[in-house]
């Protein structure tokens, strides 16, 4: 609001000729945007100038809250309350769309629009960006796709609040290590560029959920890609990848992986990718799918292996009981395992383009249903079919404990390394289920949304291997000390319980990166957490916290997200502003009067700066 001149309201008697002269003219940089568009943007905070043939952005855009000469001349001498163009009704511009024009460059004056949150520049002719772009400290979304950029200035990597960055269809030959500064990124698209390598610093982007690197010139990926554990969708299509790093198996939340049109000869083990639903690896050089790889794909629903060099599908393919689409088109298969016919959810089986010897062509041409029926009919031992059907029966069981024991199939646990049993109205965890999970070396456990009031002692059997533990939405009041004996635990969710304190033994959770304690009964941030040097994300909203221990928080060198909303905090120490590594600080819903709500609304960067300015000298 500081850029808005304190002048009288706009006049309403603009002539028709003046309005015509204010229309857009691509040849001129003077008043080139219709005045009514400017007025509307001043009220809404959004300006859309897409597809207007611009070769330069008019100055009126950068100075949108400053009255033009024509407007000054027509200012009314009265303060008529019915005037809809009053200067005090203006708001800062937060969204600017300049896409689908012919812009070659941007003026450094873009720095004036400091309130921008969304900047869309896609489909232009940009070859460079101004250094002042870094002054847009509130920018959340930046779209630079379909331009002619050959490099990115450091100013892009100063946008610490950025969550969405689109760079596809440019001419970038490399990606700077400074990409690691954008720690709040959730979506990153660098497809259709000229990248040959990806810097190891990419591993610091631990919040990215969608990552697109397709259509580049990549021959390898850094091992650090395995540190991007939030990734749900990873696209690597149309590169020159000969191998995928084994660390890709660390992507705990990966759901979709696209690696078509590369040079892969084999697949890695997807050991901890328990959420993987779609695997697309068509058009590669894969010759086989070993059983140890199949063991890590138990939850896959779509498996695309078309146009490879596979000559045999192992009988262990039946382990993929969730498989719905299986594409084997254009391989070197001469037959299929008959047990494919007993996969309960398989709806599409494509085998065209193979030299099938054991299956007649007319059978193949009848489609998936008839092909699966034929395969089932060829199973010599009827007990195989019967056992498979019984083992994967879809019947519901009312008793929660019996249900979990049936769910804990030893083989399935060993293959998936996860015990997911959420929202089942369970009150007790059977010891037998824990013992089976321990034998299978399970490392992901989810007992959220049940009615648990305690954790059984035998749960200690799982602590050595545990990586993720979700006990949220239960009725827990205390936590056992042995939960501190989890040397590999990186994620712990305890939200929506009745917990008041954490065991001192939690000091041993040296690998913990994220903990959620929201909606509990904590009166202070547990002191034990201040000794966890790798803690990055701390949620403690909706508790009863009254006082902030800034000295304790300052001992967490990589803390980037701190959520303290809806507590009883009456005073915010200015020294909290010294935690410059914070990228997200949430304080809304507390009882303090300073900082004011308007300061909180400006975002983390401004809030920290405000607090630092009030530290006594």
């Amino acid at each position: 609001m500081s850029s808005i001149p304190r002048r009288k309201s706009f006049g309403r008697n603009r002539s028709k000729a003046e309005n015509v002269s204010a229309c857009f003219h691509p040849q001129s940089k003077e008043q080139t945007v219709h005045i009514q568009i400017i007025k509307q943007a001043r009220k809404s905070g959004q300006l859309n100038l897409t597809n207007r043939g611009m070769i330069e952005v008019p100055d009126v855009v950068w100075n949108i809250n400053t009255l033009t000469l024509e407007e000054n001349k027509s200012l009314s001498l009265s303060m008529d309350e019915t005037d809809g163009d009053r200067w005090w009704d203006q708001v800062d511009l937060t969204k600017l769309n300049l896409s689908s024009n012919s812009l070659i460059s941007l003026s450094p004056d873009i720095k004036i629009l400091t309130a921008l949150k969304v900047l869309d520049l896609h489909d232009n002719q940009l070859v460079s960006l101004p250094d002042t772009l870094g002054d847009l400290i509130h920018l959340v979304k930046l779209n630079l796709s379909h331009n002619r950029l050959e490099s990115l200035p450091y100013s892009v990597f100063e946008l610490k609040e950025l969550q969405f960055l689109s760079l596809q269809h440019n001419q970038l030959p490399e990606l700077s290590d400074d990409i690691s500064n954008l720690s709040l990124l959730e979506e990153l698209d660098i497809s259709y560029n000229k990248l040959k390598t990806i810097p190891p610093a990419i591993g610091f982007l631990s919040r990215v959920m969608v990552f697109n690197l397709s259509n580049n010139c990549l021959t390898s990926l850094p091992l650090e890609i395995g540190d991007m554990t939030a990734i749900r969708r990873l696209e690597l299509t149309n590169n020159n990848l000969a191998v995928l790093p084994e660390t890709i198996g660390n992507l705990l939340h990966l759901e979709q992986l696209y690696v078509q049109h590369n040079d892969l000869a084999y697949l890695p083990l997807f050991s901890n990718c328990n959420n993987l639903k779609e695997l697309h690896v068509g058009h590669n050089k894969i010759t086989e799918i070993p059983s140890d790889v199949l063991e890590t794909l138990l939850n896959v629903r779509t498996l695309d292996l078309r146009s490879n060099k596979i000559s045999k599908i192992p009988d262990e393919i039946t382990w993929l009981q969730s498989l719905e689409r299986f594409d084997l088109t254009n391989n070197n298969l001469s037959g299929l395992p008959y047990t494919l016919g007993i996969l309960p959810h398989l709806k599409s089986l494509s085998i065209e383009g193979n030299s099938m010897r054991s299956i007649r062509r007319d059978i193949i041409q009848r489609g998936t249903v008839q092909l699966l029926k034929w395969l089932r009919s060829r199973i010599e031992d009827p007990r195989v079919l019967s056992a498979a059907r019984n083992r994967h029966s879809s019947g519901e069981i009312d008793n929660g404990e019996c249900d979990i024991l049936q769910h804990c199939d030893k083989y399935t646990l060993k293959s998936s390394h996860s015990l997911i049993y959420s929202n089942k109205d369970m009150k007790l965890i059977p010891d037998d289920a824990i013992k089976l999970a321990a034998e299978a070396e399970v490392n992901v456990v989810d007992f959220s949304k049940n009615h648990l009031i305690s954790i059984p002692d035998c749960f200690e059997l799982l602590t050595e291997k545990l990586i993720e533990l979700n006990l949220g939405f239960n009725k827990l009041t205390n936590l056992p000390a042995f939960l501190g004996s989890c040397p590999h635990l990186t994620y712990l969710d305890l939200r929506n319980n009745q917990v008041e304190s954490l065991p001192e033994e939690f000091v041993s959770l040296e690998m913990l990166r994220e903990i959620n304690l929201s909606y509990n009964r904590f009166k202070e941030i547990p002191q034990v957490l201040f000794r966890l040097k790798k803690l990055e994300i701390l949620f403690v909203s909706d508790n009863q916290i009254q006082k902030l221990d800034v000295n304790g928080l300052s001992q967490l060198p990589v803390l980037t997200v701190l959520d303290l909303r809806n507590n009883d905090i009456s005073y915010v120490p200015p020294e909290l502003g010294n935690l410059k590594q914070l990228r997200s600080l949430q304080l809304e819903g507390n009882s303090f009067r300073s900082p004011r709500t308007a300061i909180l609304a400006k975002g983390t960067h401004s809030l920290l700066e405000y607090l630092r300015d009030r530290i006594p000298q």
Side-chain angles (χ1 to χ4, degrees), residues 137-138 161 548 562-565 569 571-580 582-590 592-615:
I137 58 176
H138 300 298
E161 298 292 323
L548 293 181
L562 178 58
D563 188 345
L564 291 160
R565 289 174 296 175
I569 301 171
Y571 172 68
V572 180
E575 292 77 11
L576 190 63
N578 287 329
L579 303 184
K580 297 181 181 180
L582 284 178
R583 298 291 175 261
S584 177
L585 173 60
Q586 304 292 328
L587 292 171
E588 295 84 353
N590 283 281
F592 57 78
R593 295 185 178 181
S594 177
R596 302 187 311 276
T597 302
I599 299 297
L600 300 180
K602 289 185 177 182
T604 298
H605 181 87
S606 295
L607 173 57
L608 295 177
E609 190 175 68
Y610 170 89
L611 292 171
R612 284 196 299 273
D613 287 344
R614 279 149 184 78
I615 297 176

Side-chain angles (χ1 to χ4, degrees), residues 262-265 281-289 305-313 328-333 354:
N262 277 281
D263 297 321
L264 300 179
V281 288
H283 297 274
N284 278 281
K285 300 176 180 178
I286 299 171
T287 57
E288 62 175 346
I289 307 295
L305 296 171
R306 66 182 298 132
S307 299
N308 277 282
K309 299 181 178 181
I310 300 170
S311 58
K312 182 180 180 181
I313 301 297
L328 293 167
T329 304
N330 297 328
N331 275 280
N332 299 330
L333 297 169
N354 286 280

Side-chain angles (χ1 to χ4, degrees), residues 280-520:
H280 300 267
V281 288
H283 297 274
N284 278 281
K285 300 176 180 178
I286 299 171
T287 57
E288 62 175 346
I289 307 295
S291 58
D292 58 344
V293 172
L294 291 175
E295 277 189 289
T296 62
L297 299 175
L298 296 187
N299 295 316
V300 165
R301 296 176 183 173
T302 298
L303 182 55
D304 175 9
L305 296 171
R306 66 182 298 132
S307 299
N308 277 282
K309 299 181 178 181
I310 300 170
S311 58
K312 182 180 180 181
I313 301 297
D315 291 333
E316 290 82 359
I317 191 66
T318 55
W319 294 346
L320 278 58
Q321 288 290 308
S322 299
L323 195 61
E324 297 177 3
R325 293 184 60 250
F326 193 17
D327 193 342
L328 293 167
T329 304
N330 297 328
N331 275 280
N332 299 330
L333 297 169
S334 58
L336 293 174
Y338 297 146
T339 48
L340 259 177
I342 64 175
L343 287 177
H345 302 293
L346 192 58
K347 300 173 183 177
S348 174
L349 176 59
S350 301
I351 59 173
E352 295 81 2
N354 286 280
S355 301
M356 291 292 178
R357 299 176 183 176
S358 59
I359 306 176
R360 299 196 312 272
R361 184 171 182 78
D362 63 299
I363 298 295
I364 297 174
Q365 292 176 338
R366 293 177 189 175
T368 298
V369 173
Q370 293 300 318
L371 176 56
L372 294 178
K373 183 178 180 180
W374 183 85
L375 290 171
R376 286 195 296 271
S377 71
R378 307 301 292 178
I379 297 177
E380 297 181 2
D381 188 349
R383 290 175 298 178
V384 175
L385 181 59
S386 177
R389 285 175 174 169
N390 291 336
R391 181 182 173 201
H392 301 282
S393 173
S394 59
E396 296 294 330
I397 298 179
D398 295 331
N399 185 290
E401 293 186 28
C402 290
D403 195 6
I404 189 174
L405 286 173
Q406 177 171 329
H407 181 78
C408 289
D409 175 87
K410 184 176 181 180
Y411 172 75
T412 302
L413 289 175
K414 186 173 179 60
S415 302
S416 66
H417 297 293
S418 61
L419 175 55
I420 311 297
Y421 206 75
S422 176
N423 200 21
K424 300 294 184 181
D425 293 325
M426 184 174 59
K427 297 180 180 179
L428 297 172
I429 305 174
D431 289 352
D432 289 345
I434 299 299
K435 291 176 181 177
L436 283 173
E439 292 176 9
E441 298 185 340
V442 160
N443 54 34
V444 176
V445 173
D446 185 352
F447 285 138
S448 63
K449 299 180 182 179
N450 283 292
H451 303 290
L452 302 178
I453 59 175
S454 64
I455 306 299
D457 291 342
C458 78
F459 195 91
E460 188 172 2
L461 296 172
L462 302 178
T463 57
E464 181 63 30
K465 299 291 184 180
L466 214 53
I467 296 176
E468 287 195 14
L469 175 59
N470 191 343
L471 295 170
F473 298 89
N474 279 288
K475 299 179 179 180
L476 300 172
T477 56
N478 294 292
L479 299 171
F482 60 71
L483 282 184
S485 303
C486 300
H488 306 293
L489 191 67
T490 61
Y491 173 85
L492 177 59
D493 193 339
L494 296 168
R495 80 184 97 169
N496 289 78
N497 278 283
Q498 301 168 27
V499 181
E500 298 180 1
S501 62
L502 298 179
E504 185 62 29
E505 287 77 5
F506 270 38
V507 70
S508 299
L509 301 179
E510 297 179 353
M511 301 301 293
L512 194 66
R513 296 175 64 177
E514 178 176 344
I515 185 169
N516 194 332
L517 301 175
S518 298
Y519 292 93
N520 276 282

Side-chain angles (χ1 to χ4, degrees), residues 37 41 46-52 95-99:
I37 295 177
Q46 301 184 18
L47 178 58
N48 188 342
L49 297 177
T50 185
N51 197 25
R52 291 171 179 264
K95 183 176 181 179
L96 177 59
N97 189 342
L98 299 170
S99 63

Side-chain angles (χ1 to χ4, degrees), residues 90-104:
Q90 295 188 32
V91 297
D92 291 329
L93 201 64
T94 59
K95 183 176 181 179
L96 177 59
N97 189 342
L98 299 170
S99 63
S100 301
N101 283 290
S102 301
L103 304 177
I104 298 176

Side-chain angles (χ1 to χ4, degrees), residues 77-92:
L77 296 178
S78 68
M79 297 292 287
D80 188 349
E81 292 184 359
T82 63
D83 193 341
D85 298 325
R86 298 169 299 190
W87 63 263
W88 57 82
D89 285 336
Q90 295 188 32
V91 297
D92 291 329

Side-chain angles (χ1 to χ4, degrees), residues 7-18:
R7 293 175 175 146
K8 294 181 181 180
S9 56
F10 301 159
R12 294 171 293 159
N13 300 318
R14 174 178 295 279
S15 69
K16 188 173 182 180
E18 284 177 310

